């Protein structure tokens, strides 16, 4: 009668009961958008060729301009069906560069960089172990996870621990 998607509501409730242990996610090699000393740390698994990730990235930038208590820790998670995502992710990690990630989201060419890193392969294994199958994946300070780009207001509510 209300035209609410009850299946989606049930899936979200189940997902919220199965919270992620944040201590399982190493953040030392993550890109940081915002102040690393911020009280609220949100972990984002992103793909440089994912248009939804690009939309979420814009929203994240808007949030950190307004809220200094929030920082986004970005883990590169290239999806198999994005043919250049793996090498782009490596280049971004090798250069530790938010600018290269933003260039990818803005469909600009980036140069291929190689360095000795296992970060991308480790992220792929970690994401699989956490049940992450797509991007963007957002993990909140309380361990809740959401898939997909969320509007700013909804993202802020979840960051602040509100339903």
């Amino acid at each position: 009668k209300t035209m609410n998607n009850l299946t989606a509501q049930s899936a979200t409730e189940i997902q919220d009961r199965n919270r992620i242990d944040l201590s399982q996610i190493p953040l030392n090699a993550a890109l940081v958008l915002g102040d690393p000393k911020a009280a609220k740390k949100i972990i984002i698994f992103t793909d440089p060729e994912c248009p939804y990730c690009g939309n979420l990235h814009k929203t994240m930038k808007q949030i950190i301009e307004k809220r200094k208590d929030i920082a986004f820790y970005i883990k590169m998670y290239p999806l198999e069906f994005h043919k250049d995502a793996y090498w782009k992710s490596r280049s971004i990690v090798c250069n530790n560069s938010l600018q290269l990630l933003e260039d990818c989201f803005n469909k600009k060419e980036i140069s291929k960089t190689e360095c000795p890193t296992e970060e991308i392969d480790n992220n792929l294994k970690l994401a699989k172990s956490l049940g992450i199958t797509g991007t963007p994946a957002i993990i909140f300070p309380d361990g809740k996870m959401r898939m997909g780009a969320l509007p700013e207001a909804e993202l802020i509510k979840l960051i602040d621990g509100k339903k």
Side-chain angles (χ1 to χ4, degrees), residues 43-92:
I43 302 167
I44 309 290
F45 282 80
T46 196
D47 177 315
E49 292 194 337
C50 163
Y52 303 105
C53 298
N55 291 338
L56 177 63
H57 194 81
K58 288 177 192 161
T59 303
M60 291 162 33
K61 287 176 75 171
Q62 292 168 348
I63 289 171
I64 62 161
E65 286 197 15
K66 298 173 190 165
R67 299 275 304 265
K68 302 304 176 200
D69 63 326
I70 296 172
F72 294 96
Y73 286 74
I74 302 168
K75 307 276 290 171
M76 300 309 300
Y77 180 54
L79 300 174
E80 277 185 41
F81 56 85
H82 289 145
K83 72 178 182 82
D84 294 325
Y86 187 86
W87 75 259
K88 286 180 180 179
S89 294
R90 272 187 79 87
S91 293
I92 291 163

Side-chain angles (χ1 to χ4, degrees), residues 16 19 70 93 99 102 105 115 117 128 157:
D16 285 351
R19 297 190 185 209
I70 296 172
V93 167
Q99 185 59 56
E102 290 177 14
F105 289 146
C115 67
T117 182
K128 186 175 184 177
K157 276 185 189 177

